[in-house]
């Protein structure tokens, strides 16, 4: 199994944006130091997130790291001009030495309609069209194309050309079969959000993905699946982990109540039992990931990159324990295929 540390760059407003963004870069440096395989930055366009520009943040991280893979989580192609998105990510690919991988999706949030005039009626069509044009721009030096949502292209060249002649694109999936269908159609990997609900609906979508891969002529045995987790805190003793994380979880419940969101899990104990949250001793977390793997068959997993209410000391110690006592066991017991080699354009 491989492990990504991912952030949506949530802010509670107590830190100015420049401090919070520097914290994200510092966490990426720490993730590389500790041996994580990748670091991901989400894309959101409303409070409480300040992750509206992943390629800018990832470019800074690329300059401060040397080996860790850089992921988007997700790139909202339904909102973006695919040509402009290509230019940004091709530039990032060059700056990072070909370490870029994309997780794409339609995005979510009420602000999308206000800022981009993208609605529930057209977001999936926009996402599909954006994906299809983006991938052609990446692979072809000149593109002739026409679609519904942007001006047509006639033998168009885009610069700079990316360092990787081909790029692996994952499709982020939460609850809809539309993203699963697009991934299966093109034989691309799927990344299940696996955060808000119990495992059952995510497992159903992953099973549907494998069925649709076969339908579209791809071998379902080659399916590559990633999955998220809803929080992380590892301690030597399980009760210490629970005691430390409880106020963080309770504060999350209060936030849900304040914004009118009904929580799926009403107690930390329930979340530990039925959600993907990883709170406990190293062995408890190893056992839980195995249970989820039995349902999802995932080879890549993301964990929370941010302190999320922990002190800096607690946060670092948790990540250290994860990498020293959890990750080595899961890497050995759950085989995963290597990331693509850092092939570059000749």
């Amino acid at each position: 199994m491989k492990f990504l540390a991912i952030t949506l760059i949530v802010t509670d407003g107590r830190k100015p944006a420049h401090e919070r963004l520097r914290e994200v870069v510092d966490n990426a440096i720490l993730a590389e130091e500790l041996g994580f395989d990748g670091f991901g930055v989400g894309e959101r366009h409303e409070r409480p997130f300040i992750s509206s520009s992943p390629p800018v943040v990832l470019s800074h991280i690329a300059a401060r790291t040397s080996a860790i893979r850089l992921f988007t989580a997700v790139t909202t192609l339904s909102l973006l001009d695919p040509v402009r998105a290509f230019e940004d990510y091709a530039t990032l690919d060059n700056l990072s030495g070909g370490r870029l991988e994309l997780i794409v999706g339609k995005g979510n949030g009420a602000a999308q309609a206000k800022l981009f005039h993208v609605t529930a009626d057209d977001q999936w069509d926009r996402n599909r069209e954006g994906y299809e044009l983006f991938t052609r721009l990446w692979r072809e030096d000149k593109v002739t194309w026409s679609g519904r949502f942007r001006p047509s292209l006639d033998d168009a060249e885009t610069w700079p050309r990316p360092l990787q002649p081909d790029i692996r694109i994952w499709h982020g999936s939460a609850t809809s079969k539309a993203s699963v269908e697009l991934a299966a159609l093109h034989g691309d990997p799927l990344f299940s959000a696996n955060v808000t609900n119990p495992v059952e609906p995510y497992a159903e979508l992953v099973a549907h993905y494998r069925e649709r891969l076969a339908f579209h002529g791809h071998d379902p045995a080659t399916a590559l699946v990633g999955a998220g987790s809803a929080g992380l805190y590892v301690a030597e003793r399980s009760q210490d982990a629970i005691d430390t994380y409880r106020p963080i979880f309770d504060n999350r419940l209060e936030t849900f109540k304040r914004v009118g969101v009904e929580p799926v899990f009403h107690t930390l104990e329930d979340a530990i039992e039925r959600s993907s949250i990883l709170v406990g001793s190293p062995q408890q977390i190893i056992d839980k990931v195995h249970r989820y793997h039995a349902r999802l068959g995932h080879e890549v997993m993301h964990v929370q990159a941010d302190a999320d209410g922990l002190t800096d000391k607690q946060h670092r110690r948790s990540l250290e324990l994860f990498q020293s006592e959890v990750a080595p066991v899961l890497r050995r017991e759950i085989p995963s295929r290597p990331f693509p080699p850092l092939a570059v354009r000749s």
Side-chain angles (χ1 to χ4, degrees), residues 104-106 124 127-128 170-186 188-193 205 208-209:
V104 302
K106 68 167 180 62
W124 287 112
N127 183 64
R128 180 175 58 254
W170 303 67
H171 296 257
S173 166
T175 58
S176 172
K177 290 183 178 179
S179 54
V180 170
E181 178 66 22
L182 189 60
L185 174 64
H186 294 280
D188 291 335
L190 184 75
F191 214 108
S192 172
L205 279 176
H208 180 69
Y209 164 63

Side-chain angles (χ1 to χ4, degrees), residues 33-313:
E33 175 189 326
L34 295 179
F36 280 88
D37 300 286
F39 191 89
V41 173
E43 180 179 335
R44 296 289 183 91
H45 296 274
E46 61 189 335
R47 295 173 184 267
F49 309 98
I50 54 171
S51 51
S52 58
S53 187
V56 175
V57 178
L58 288 170
S59 290
H60 195 142
I61 291 170
R64 300 289 305 278
T65 59
S66 60
I68 197 167
R69 292 274 176 159
L70 305 177
F71 282 75
T72 60
V74 301
T75 294
T76 54
L77 284 179
S78 63
L79 311 183
L80 307 175
D81 179 343
V83 174
R84 192 71 185 97
F86 164 82
E87 291 173 337
D88 285 343
Y89 285 110
T91 301
L92 171 55
D93 193 51
N94 280 281
L95 289 170
S96 68
R99 289 185 278 147
L100 178 64
E101 296 203 25
L102 299 178
I103 307 175
V104 302
K106 68 167 180 62
N108 56 35
Q112 293 188 173
K114 294 180 180 179
L115 294 175
F116 300 97
H117 291 199
V118 174
T119 68
D121 294 331
D122 65 13
Q123 59 188 357
W124 287 112
D125 290 337
R126 287 177 178 274
N127 183 64
R128 180 175 58 254
E129 182 176 292
Y131 163 85
E132 290 169 353
L133 177 53
F134 183 94
T135 53
R136 285 195 60 192
L137 292 167
W138 196 280
R139 295 164 182 160
E140 301 174 27
D141 291 336
K142 294 184 178 182
V143 172
T144 297
W145 173 91
S146 64
R148 288 175 56 195
F149 301 108
R150 78 165 318 278
S152 61
L153 302 174
D154 184 14
D155 209 23
E157 294 183 296
T158 45
W159 295 94
R161 299 309 299 156
L163 190 59
Q164 299 178 81
D166 201 2
I167 187 169
R168 184 162 69 178
I169 297 181
W170 303 67
H171 296 257
S173 166
T175 58
S176 172
K177 290 183 178 179
S179 54
V180 170
E181 178 66 22
L182 189 60
L185 174 64
H186 294 280
D188 291 335
L190 184 75
F191 214 108
S192 172
N194 191 40
V195 168
T196 305
N197 298 299
V199 70
E200 287 77 14
Y202 304 114
E204 289 174 8
L205 279 176
V206 170
H208 180 69
Y209 164 63
R210 292 191 167 96
E211 292 171 4
R212 297 304 292 175
L213 275 173
F215 176 84
H216 290 297
H218 305 288
D219 183 357
T222 65
L224 178 58
V225 176
S229 59
L232 175 71
Y233 184 60
V234 193
E236 286 88 349
R237 296 175 63 250
S238 60
Q239 194 57 52
D240 292 339
I242 291 170
D243 291 344
T244 298
Y245 203 81
R246 188 179 303 282
I248 296 170
F249 184 84
D250 290 345
N251 182 65
R252 189 178 302 169
L253 292 181
E254 287 299 317
T255 301
F256 287 159
K257 186 184 301 182
R258 189 165 58 251
V259 299
V261 174
E262 179 64 26
V264 177
F265 310 102
H266 292 269
T267 67
L268 177 57
E269 284 75 12
D270 185 33
I272 291 172
E273 177 63 27
R274 297 194 302 121
S275 87
S276 63
I277 199 169
L278 301 174
V279 174
S281 67
Q283 189 58 53
Q284 286 175 313
I285 290 172
I286 290 167
D287 293 343
K288 186 168 188 177
V289 173
H290 271 291
R291 291 198 303 273
Y292 268 74
H293 179 262
R295 300 297 305 276
L296 301 173
H298 56 308
E299 298 179 29
V300 180
M301 187 181 81
H302 84 52
V303 300
Q304 172 69 261
D306 298 316
D308 192 30
L310 299 168
T311 67
D312 290 345
K313 183 177 180 180

